[in-house]
Amino acid sequence: MTAALRREIALLILWLAILLVLGLFTGHTLVLLLSGLSVYTVWNIYNLNRLTRWLMNPSRHTPETWGFWDEVYYQLYHLYKRQRKARRKLTKILKRFKKTTQALPYATILLNSSDEIEWFNTAASYMFGFRTGLDVGQCIVNLIRQPEFISYLNKREFKKPLEFSYHSQKILLNIIPYAQGQFLVSARDITQRSQLDDMRRDFISNASHELRTPLTVMSGYIEMLRESETESTSMPLLKIQQQTQRMESIISELIELAKLETAAILENPESIELEKLMYEVFDEAKSFDQGRHVIDLSLDDISIKGNYDELRVAFSNLLTNAIRYTPEGKTIQLFSYSDEMGACIGVKDEGIGIAYEHLSRLTERFYRVDEGRSREVGGTGLGLAIVKQILERHGANLRIVSTPGEGSTFYCYFPI
Ligand code: ADP
């Protein structure tokens, strides 16, 4: 109980005691007590009415009163002051936020749950031609009429960003859900980066094609020379032949990678019976392995959508790696299963394993944990980069679990 309320009760008791004493003297105790209580009630109703009026339009001037009501106004006035201060602070923050987002180099758009534009910054009006004042409230798909963008927005799956062409610009767009059904769209112009990427890809592809012809000629001559080799030329010729073969493998894998990169998304995927494909990969691996390992096969009856040849290359690369990096006599497993999340195809080995710090970089081109070992076993350093690219084209992802000295498992997840 507050001090003001205690004081108010004490005053009421005093008031009633005076009336009681007066009543005892005059002999009208009940009448006096009732009148006294009525006066008290009217006083409170009067003050309640004043309070309601003040609350409808609060100002720094509170009505003149006393007692408990004075305390009520005092507390309300301070609450009102605190709220005004907080509102002013919030407005300031909001203004600063708007200024900052206006200055952002990225196009930023706020959408409501019906995909109508609530706000956008200057960069968005440059990128998409929005008109300040006119386009707020418009449905975004009426303004950005681009099929890829419309289908991306309608799918409501915003985990991966969207890359699309819009009026000779290449745009990378992210949509971030926030609050209830609202979205923050952030887009940036990646035309320059995309052109550089194309140039790099074209260069690698052209250079590889150009190198292929002289290498084929060299291989032919080396083979010819080996037929008439002498004791002194045998060793150098063998070394030259091995290195030429390595270069040929690197070049064909570079060409393969460039081809895969040209189209980021798979066109016309077919339905693939995994069992058949896996048996083919298994047979190929068995002949490569020549009985050095125990290779097990454990398959579920699954079919997935994709490109047969590409998937064969991916699983074959994983199995070949398992053979290369596993000591003789150990077991390698090629397995597949499906659950409510999708299908999983994997390769498990009891090989040398990979230390944790290397795992995130394994799919980079030419990244090797141990360069000498990779060369020794005939690796090009591109196998896992190709696997990653193929899986990406299939909307699948790669997970690697490994313990040095115990072995590794490569899981390829294909979502439903
Ligand atoms: P490489 O042709 O050198 O094998 P990859 O891209 O296929 O190139 O693999 C990259 C590196 O990852 C390899 O050099 C090797 O160090 C490591 N690696 C790949 N698979 C395995 C595996 N099953 N066990 C251990 N290390 C592996």
Side-chain angles (χ1 to χ4, degrees):
M1 200 189 289
T2 60
L5 187 61
R6 268 203 304 271
R7 221 177 308 125
E8 182 72 13
I9 292 171
L11 275 172
L12 181 62
I13 292 170
L14 184 68
W15 172 236
L16 290 177
I18 293 170
L19 290 173
L20 192 70
V21 173
L22 275 174
L24 286 176
F25 274 116
T26 56
H28 299 292
T29 319
L30 200 63
V31 178
L32 277 171
L33 276 177
L34 276 175
S35 324
L37 279 174
S38 305
V39 169
Y40 184 73
T41 311
V42 169
W43 160 247
N44 279 327
I45 290 173
Y46 167 72
N47 273 305
L48 264 176
N49 182 41
R50 287 212 303 179
L51 175 65
T52 317
R53 283 221 299 266
W54 184 81
L55 283 175
M56 280 196 271
N57 185 18
S59 70
R60 70 172 62 201
H61 304 292
T62 52
E64 283 284 332
T65 184
W66 58 271
F68 180 65
W69 286 103
D70 197 32
E71 177 69 15
V72 169
Y73 280 118
Y74 177 79
Q75 293 299 343
L76 278 174
Y77 176 65
H78 277 276
L79 189 71
Y80 162 73
K81 241 170 74 174
R82 276 201 301 273
Q83 266 187 349
R84 252 177 42 151
K85 214 168 151 190
R87 206 181 318 139
R88 254 188 254 134
K89 206 168 151 189
L90 220 69
T91 320
K92 241 190 209 167
I93 293 174
L94 208 69
K95 271 190 189 154
R96 211 178 311 146
F97 169 76
K98 274 194 175 178
K99 257 191 196 162
T100 324
T101 37
Q102 281 295 3
L104 273 180
Y106 303 146
T108 312
I109 309 159
L110 296 187
L111 296 183
N112 65 16
S113 52
S114 319
D115 296 341
E116 287 161 356
I117 298 175
E118 288 197 338
W119 177 86
F120 58 84
N121 68 352
T122 321
S125 46
Y126 280 131
M127 187 177 282
F128 299 111
F130 295 162
R131 295 154 303 169
T132 319
L134 286 176
D135 288 333
V136 168
Q138 294 264 22
C139 192
I140 193 162
V141 292
N142 293 336
L143 301 173
I144 307 179
R145 290 169 182 270
Q146 211 278 354
E148 280 171 71
F149 170 72
I150 296 173
S151 104
Y152 178 74
L153 187 69
N154 290 341
K155 265 192 199 156
R156 292 290 196 255
E157 272 175 27
F158 304 130
K159 267 192 203 150
K160 281 189 185 165
L162 170 74
E163 223 178 283
F164 66 104
S165 303
Y166 186 75
H167 295 300
S168 75
Q169 301 172 94
K170 193 97 185 165
I171 289 171
L172 184 72
L173 180 133
N174 278 289
I175 298 187
I176 305 131
Y178 79 98
Q180 277 165 342
Q182 287 169 307
F183 300 99
L184 176 82
V185 181
S186 155
R188 74 193 154 106
D189 188 346
I190 53 157
T191 316
Q192 224 174 8
R193 198 195 78 187
S194 168
Q195 279 168 352
L196 280 174
D197 269 358
D198 287 348
M199 273 165 63
R200 178 188 56 87
R201 228 181 350 251
D202 287 349
F203 172 75
I204 294 176
S205 171
N206 292 340
S208 312
H209 277 291
E210 291 296 327
L211 286 171
R212 202 177 219 177
T213 322
L215 258 181
T216 318
V217 176
M218 274 165 70
S219 292
Y221 278 115
I222 294 162
E223 236 166 75
M224 209 176 78
L225 286 171
R226 285 208 69 191
E227 277 166 21
S228 54
E229 66 188 14
T230 59
E231 211 178 308
S232 60
T233 58
S234 156
M235 191 58 172
L237 279 176
L238 178 69
K239 288 272 176 219
I240 294 171
Q241 190 175 36
Q242 280 171 348
Q243 292 307 318
T244 325
Q245 277 164 357
R246 239 193 99 222
M247 273 168 80
E248 276 175 336
S249 316
I250 293 177
I251 283 172
S252 34
E253 294 207 339
L254 274 175
I255 292 175
E256 174 83 35
L257 205 52
K259 238 194 306 175
L260 289 170
E261 278 183 340
T262 325
I265 290 170
L266 196 68
E267 275 163 24
N268 309 324
E270 47 185 314
S271 181
I272 297 167
E273 294 301 323
L274 267 182
E275 212 168 354
K276 180 174 169 273
L277 185 141
M278 302 287 267
Y279 269 111
E280 219 172 285
V281 174
F282 175 72
D283 287 341
E284 217 176 81
K286 278 227 144 193
S287 71
F288 173 72
D289 186 53
Q290 296 186 331
R292 283 173 294 154
H293 301 94
V294 180
I295 306 181
D296 271 353
L297 199 60
S298 142
L299 300 178
D300 263 8
D301 188 12
I302 315 170
S303 72
I304 53 171
K305 287 236 166 214
N307 179 296
Y308 192 93
D309 291 333
E310 285 184 17
L311 290 177
R312 196 169 52 79
V313 169
F315 303 142
S316 175
N317 280 1
L318 292 180
L319 202 52
T320 315
N321 274 352
I323 292 170
R324 281 178 180 152
Y325 300 106
T326 301
E328 277 190 39
K330 300 268 183 184
T331 306
I332 294 166
Q333 255 186 317
L334 178 63
F335 62 86
S336 72
Y337 62 82
S338 66
D339 54 26
E340 67 280 3
M341 305 289 284
C344 176
I345 293 97
V347 177
K348 183 175 182 346
D349 65 49
E350 297 174 347
I352 56 170
I354 307 152
Y356 180 77
E357 65 267 24
H358 297 292
L359 292 182
S360 61
R361 301 199 56 194
L362 280 190
T363 52
E364 286 174 22
R365 284 146 211 246
F366 299 114
Y367 187 86
R368 285 128 163 163
V369 176
D370 179 342
E371 186 134 349
R373 186 158 196 150
S374 162
R375 278 222 176 109
E376 220 173 83
V377 293
T380 58
L382 292 168
L384 290 181
I386 292 178
V387 173
K388 185 184 169 219
Q389 198 66 40
I390 293 175
L391 292 185
E392 262 177 21
R393 278 162 61 77
H394 285 77
N397 45 58
L398 179 71
R399 193 163 80 93
I400 309 166
V401 178
S402 187
T403 313
E406 286 183 22
S408 322
T409 311
F410 289 73
Y411 298 92
C412 309
Y413 289 105
F414 292 78
I416 293 169

